[in-house]
PDB file of all heavy atoms in Angstrom:
ATOM      1  N   TYR A 515       3.133  -5.304  -9.487  1.00 87.00           N
ATOM      2  CA  TYR A 515       3.001  -4.338  -8.359  1.00 87.00           C
ATOM      3  C   TYR A 515       1.529  -4.331  -7.897  1.00 87.00           C
ATOM      4  O   TYR A 515       1.269  -4.316  -6.750  1.00 87.00           O
ATOM      5  CB  TYR A 515       3.461  -2.989  -8.864  1.00 87.00           C
ATOM      6  CG  TYR A 515       3.353  -1.892  -7.796  1.00 87.00           C
ATOM      7  CD1 TYR A 515       4.369  -1.645  -6.888  1.00 87.00           C
ATOM      8  CD2 TYR A 515       2.101  -1.154  -7.609  1.00 87.00           C
ATOM      9  CE1 TYR A 515       4.200  -0.646  -5.896  1.00 87.00           C
ATOM     10  CE2 TYR A 515       1.941  -0.221  -6.702  1.00 87.00           C
ATOM     11  CZ  TYR A 515       2.994   0.081  -5.775  1.00 87.00           C
ATOM     12  OH  TYR A 515       2.853   1.026  -4.833  1.00 87.00           O
ATOM     13  N   VAL A 516       0.643  -4.305  -8.880  1.00 82.00           N
ATOM     14  CA  VAL A 516      -0.786  -4.385  -8.503  1.00 82.00           C
ATOM     15  C   VAL A 516      -1.131  -5.602  -7.750  1.00 82.00           C
ATOM     16  O   VAL A 516      -1.871  -5.601  -6.715  1.00 82.00           O
ATOM     17  CB  VAL A 516      -1.686  -4.200  -9.833  1.00 82.00           C
ATOM     18  CG1 VAL A 516      -3.144  -4.305  -9.451  1.00 82.00           C
ATOM     19  CG2 VAL A 516      -1.411  -2.907 -10.475  1.00 82.00           C
ATOM     20  N   HIS A 517      -0.611  -6.728  -8.256  1.00 79.00           N
ATOM     21  CA  HIS A 517      -0.987  -7.960  -7.542  1.00 79.00           C
ATOM     22  C   HIS A 517      -0.275  -8.079  -6.139  1.00 79.00           C
ATOM     23  O   HIS A 517      -0.940  -8.598  -5.243  1.00 79.00           O
ATOM     24  CB  HIS A 517      -0.532  -9.187  -8.386  1.00 79.00           C
ATOM     25  CG  HIS A 517      -1.048  -9.123  -9.812  1.00 79.00           C
ATOM     26  ND1 HIS A 517      -2.341  -8.815 -10.099  1.00 79.00           N
ATOM     27  CD2 HIS A 517      -0.378  -9.324 -11.012  1.00 79.00           C
ATOM     28  CE1 HIS A 517      -2.424  -8.812 -11.425  1.00 79.00           C
ATOM     29  NE2 HIS A 517      -1.317  -9.061 -11.965  1.00 79.00           N
ATOM     30  N   ARG A 518       0.892  -7.569  -6.018  1.00 85.00           N
ATOM     31  CA  ARG A 518       1.590  -7.615  -4.709  1.00 85.00           C
ATOM     32  C   ARG A 518       0.741  -6.802  -3.714  1.00 85.00           C
ATOM     33  O   ARG A 518       0.478  -7.274  -2.604  1.00 85.00           O
ATOM     34  CB  ARG A 518       2.955  -6.988  -4.909  1.00 85.00           C
ATOM     35  CG  ARG A 518       4.027  -7.856  -5.617  1.00 85.00           C
ATOM     36  CD  ARG A 518       5.311  -7.174  -5.757  1.00 85.00           C
ATOM     37  NE  ARG A 518       6.340  -7.959  -6.278  1.00 85.00           N
ATOM     38  CZ  ARG A 518       7.672  -7.554  -6.371  1.00 85.00           C
ATOM     39  NH1 ARG A 518       8.001  -6.397  -5.837  1.00 85.00           N
ATOM     40  NH2 ARG A 518       8.468  -8.365  -6.931  1.00 85.00           N
ATOM     41  N   ILE A 519       0.456  -5.559  -4.028  1.00 84.00           N
ATOM     42  CA  ILE A 519      -0.274  -4.695  -3.024  1.00 84.00           C
ATOM     43  C   ILE A 519      -1.664  -5.057  -2.889  1.00 84.00           C
ATOM     44  O   ILE A 519      -2.368  -4.542  -1.950  1.00 84.00           O
ATOM     45  CB  ILE A 519      -0.044  -3.206  -3.421  1.00 84.00           C
ATOM     46  CG1 ILE A 519      -0.844  -2.889  -4.662  1.00 84.00           C
ATOM     47  CG2 ILE A 519       1.434  -2.833  -3.546  1.00 84.00           C
ATOM     48  CD1 ILE A 519      -0.851  -1.407  -4.922  1.00 84.00           C
ATOM     49  N   GLY A 520      -2.183  -6.007  -3.681  1.00 77.00           N
ATOM     50  CA  GLY A 520      -3.539  -6.455  -3.482  1.00 77.00           C
ATOM     51  C   GLY A 520      -3.620  -7.358  -2.243  1.00 77.00           C
ATOM     52  O   GLY A 520      -4.724  -7.704  -1.799  1.00 77.00           O
ATOM     53  N   ARG A 521      -2.505  -7.587  -1.584  1.00 78.00           N
ATOM     54  CA  ARG A 521      -2.570  -8.411  -0.415  1.00 78.00           C
ATOM     55  C   ARG A 521      -2.870  -7.477   0.841  1.00 78.00           C
ATOM     56  O   ARG A 521      -3.062  -8.042   1.932  1.00 78.00           O
ATOM     57  CB  ARG A 521      -1.149  -9.075  -0.092  1.00 78.00           C
ATOM     58  CG  ARG A 521      -0.595  -9.952  -1.204  1.00 78.00           C
ATOM     59  CD  ARG A 521      -1.623 -10.979  -1.562  1.00 78.00           C
ATOM     60  NE  ARG A 521      -2.269 -10.724  -2.786  1.00 78.00           N
ATOM     61  CZ  ARG A 521      -3.488 -11.153  -3.208  1.00 78.00           C
ATOM     62  NH1 ARG A 521      -4.084 -12.009  -2.428  1.00 78.00           N
ATOM     63  NH2 ARG A 521      -3.956 -10.865  -4.357  1.00 78.00           N
ATOM     64  N   THR A 522      -2.896  -6.183   0.640  1.00 76.00           N
ATOM     65  CA  THR A 522      -3.253  -5.302   1.771  1.00 76.00           C
ATOM     66  C   THR A 522      -4.544  -4.514   1.305  1.00 76.00           C
ATOM     67  O   THR A 522      -5.034  -4.641   0.239  1.00 76.00           O
ATOM     68  CB  THR A 522      -2.167  -4.309   1.985  1.00 76.00           C
ATOM     69  OG1 THR A 522      -2.495  -3.569   3.221  1.00 76.00           O
ATOM     70  CG2 THR A 522      -1.897  -3.314   0.940  1.00 76.00           C
ATOM     71  N   ALA A 523      -5.122  -3.773   2.224  1.00 58.00           N
ATOM     72  CA  ALA A 523      -6.412  -3.068   2.113  1.00 58.00           C
ATOM     73  C   ALA A 523      -7.498  -4.072   1.576  1.00 58.00           C
ATOM     74  O   ALA A 523      -8.361  -3.759   0.703  1.00 58.00           O
ATOM     75  CB  ALA A 523      -6.242  -2.027   1.051  1.00 58.00           C
ATOM     76  N   ARG A 524      -7.528  -5.248   2.233  1.00 60.00           N
ATOM     77  CA  ARG A 524      -8.581  -6.243   1.881  1.00 60.00           C
ATOM     78  C   ARG A 524      -9.725  -6.096   2.922  1.00 60.00           C
ATOM     79  O   ARG A 524      -9.516  -5.608   4.045  1.00 60.00           O
ATOM     80  CB  ARG A 524      -8.037  -7.579   1.919  1.00 60.00           C
ATOM     81  CG  ARG A 524      -6.925  -7.806   0.865  1.00 60.00           C
ATOM     82  CD  ARG A 524      -6.253  -9.208   0.931  1.00 60.00           C
ATOM     83  NE  ARG A 524      -7.097 -10.202   0.351  1.00 60.00           N
ATOM     84  CZ  ARG A 524      -7.127 -10.514  -0.891  1.00 60.00           C
ATOM     85  NH1 ARG A 524      -6.323  -9.785  -1.818  1.00 60.00           N
ATOM     86  NH2 ARG A 524      -7.834 -11.475  -1.405  1.00 60.00           N
ATOM     87  N   ALA A 525     -10.977  -6.470   2.409  1.00 54.00           N
ATOM     88  CA  ALA A 525     -12.141  -6.483   3.269  1.00 54.00           C
ATOM     89  C   ALA A 525     -12.408  -5.107   3.901  1.00 54.00           C
ATOM     90  O   ALA A 525     -12.776  -5.016   5.039  1.00 54.00           O
ATOM     91  CB  ALA A 525     -11.911  -7.590   4.376  1.00 54.00           C
ATOM     92  N   GLY A 526     -12.173  -4.053   3.037  1.00 56.00           N
ATOM     93  CA  GLY A 526     -12.502  -2.746   3.497  1.00 56.00           C
ATOM     94  C   GLY A 526     -11.487  -2.042   4.376  1.00 56.00           C
ATOM     95  O   GLY A 526     -11.747  -0.931   4.813  1.00 56.00           O
ATOM     96  N   ARG A 527     -10.374  -2.673   4.703  1.00 65.00           N
ATOM     97  CA  ARG A 527      -9.407  -2.098   5.568  1.00 65.00           C
ATOM     98  C   ARG A 527      -8.471  -1.136   4.801  1.00 65.00           C
ATOM     99  O   ARG A 527      -8.385  -1.222   3.591  1.00 65.00           O
ATOM    100  CB  ARG A 527      -8.562  -3.196   6.267  1.00 65.00           C
ATOM    101  CG  ARG A 527      -9.390  -3.975   7.290  1.00 65.00           C
ATOM    102  CD  ARG A 527      -8.511  -5.145   7.747  1.00 65.00           C
ATOM    103  NE  ARG A 527      -9.048  -5.851   8.870  1.00 65.00           N
ATOM    104  CZ  ARG A 527      -9.984  -6.800   8.718  1.00 65.00           C
ATOM    105  NH1 ARG A 527     -10.399  -7.148   7.561  1.00 65.00           N
ATOM    106  NH2 ARG A 527     -10.499  -7.415   9.827  1.00 65.00           N
ATOM    107  N   ASP A 528      -7.679  -0.322   5.504  1.00 75.00           N
ATOM    108  CA  ASP A 528      -6.658   0.535   4.900  1.00 75.00           C
ATOM    109  C   ASP A 528      -5.349  -0.219   4.681  1.00 75.00           C
ATOM    110  O   ASP A 528      -5.126  -1.272   5.481  1.00 75.00           O
ATOM    111  CB  ASP A 528      -6.404   1.753   5.760  1.00 75.00           C
ATOM    112  CG  ASP A 528      -7.600   2.659   5.846  1.00 75.00           C
ATOM    113  OD1 ASP A 528      -8.340   2.752   4.842  1.00 75.00           O
ATOM    114  OD2 ASP A 528      -7.815   3.385   6.894  1.00 75.00           O
ATOM    115  N   GLY A 529      -4.504   0.163   3.839  1.00 85.00           N
ATOM    116  CA  GLY A 529      -3.276  -0.436   3.612  1.00 85.00           C
ATOM    117  C   GLY A 529      -2.194   0.520   3.122  1.00 85.00           C
ATOM    118  O   GLY A 529      -2.542   1.509   2.584  1.00 85.00           O
TER     119      GLY A 529
END
Side-chain angles (χ1 to χ4, degrees):
Y515 178 90
V516 177
H517 307 315
R518 289 178 176 189
I519 67 172
R521 303 307 101 201
T522 189
R524 298 176 77 84
R527 292 173 170 84
D528 294 329

